[in-house]
Amino acid sequence: SIGDLHEELARHIMQTTGQAWAPYLVTYQVGTHRRYGLDKMWVALQQWRSSRLHEWHLLAVPVYAMPVGSDNLHLTAEGYWLLGEYIARAIHWSQYRKQGKWRPLEPVDVAWSSTHIDVRFYVPCKPLVIDSALCATVAHAGFVIRDGADVVLDIISNVAVLSDDTVRITLSAPAPAAATLTHARGKPGDANLGGPVGGPRSNVRDSHGLYDTALS
């Protein structure tokens, strides 16, 4: 389990360095399930759940926003550099700035009605934004509604920012009772690619990047 992995790593690191505190386990969230022809994103979801369950697990960023190479899977040199920047931010925030445990942009509440769905997010740096600055434009900003049989429903008519931390998804018809809402998962028929241009992705972001400058 990830708990066993962290316990073993922490023991070795503390013995080697002599430090009295266990280090964080920092990961990124995988995002290339469609690259392998998969419609499910079990690993990404379990990573997110683990980060919410364990105080020592920092989930820095979803990797779908990082540039990929010609194989549409592995990151480019710039992609790995950017990934390192996000990981450094998570560690700095949690361990050095002492701002509490780092949390990425993530949903915290969903309110359904017959005409719309409001998704409220934890936003590290407000306001919430929908644009193509990080990822190529994708239909409905990456939101998809599926019925109880996991079949995609074409009932989203609009997606827009409602407030600094909430997105409103307007519906053309009421969603069935067993419907589910997915985000950055993609859907059947999408290309089997990864990355911010052709892979499963989102156009929803926070505004944190407006304040970071990287100098080469």
Side-chain angles (χ1 to χ4, degrees):
S1 70
I2 192 170
D4 293 333
L5 173 63
H6 179 258
E7 183 178 348
E8 184 70 10
L9 285 172
R11 183 174 63 83
H12 282 289
I13 291 171
M14 293 168 72
Q15 286 179 348
T16 301
T17 65
Q19 65 193 54
W21 46 271
Y24 288 106
L25 178 64
V26 189
T27 65
Y28 61 83
Q29 188 179 34
V30 298
T32 53
H33 52 284
R34 301 220 70 86
R35 173 63 172 72
Y36 297 100
L38 301 175
D39 186 42
K40 302 289 187 181
M41 49 192 299
W42 297 123
V43 175
L45 287 173
Q46 290 303 323
Q47 287 178 309
W48 176 73
R49 291 184 180 118
S50 174
S51 74
R52 300 303 303 128
L53 181 63
H54 303 295
E55 280 299 311
W56 43 258
H57 184 185
L58 303 181
L59 188 61
V61 64
V63 79
Y64 64 71
M66 306 296 111
V68 295
S70 58
D71 63 356
N72 291 294
L73 177 62
H74 295 97
L75 304 186
T76 62
E78 179 188 21
Y80 284 112
W81 178 25
L82 291 170
L83 182 60
E85 290 280 316
Y86 279 98
I87 291 173
R89 175 190 288 170
I91 295 173
H92 184 259
W93 180 277
S94 305
Q95 186 167 316
Y96 296 102
R97 287 184 59 187
K98 306 296 184 182
Q99 297 294 306
K101 177 184 174 178
W102 167 260
R103 293 171 60 187
L105 179 70
E106 58 186 358
V108 295
D109 185 68
V110 182
W112 294 70
S113 77
S114 61
T115 59
H116 61 267
I117 305 170
D118 287 344
V119 183
R120 185 168 61 87
F121 288 84
Y122 168 78
V123 186
C125 186
K126 296 178 180 179
L128 201 63
V129 178
I130 295 178
D131 66 12
S132 58
L134 299 179
C135 297
T137 300
V138 62
H140 308 310
F143 290 99
V144 173
I145 296 176
R146 301 171 184 242
D147 66 13
D150 216 26
V151 175
V152 172
L153 300 175
D154 185 20
I155 58 173
I156 297 178
S157 60
N158 188 57
V159 176
V161 173
L162 184 65
S163 68
D164 281 354
D165 64 357
T166 301
V167 169
R168 171 160 290 182
I169 302 164
T170 304
L171 306 178
S172 60
T180 57
L181 177 68
T182 63
H183 188 219
R185 172 180 165 182
K187 60 185 184 300
D190 287 351
N192 289 339
L193 303 173
V197 176
R201 59 197 185 277
S202 165
N203 295 128
V204 180
R205 65 172 177 85
D206 72 346
S207 298
H208 224 144
L210 300 178
Y211 301 94
D212 283 355
T213 302
L215 301 177
S216 59

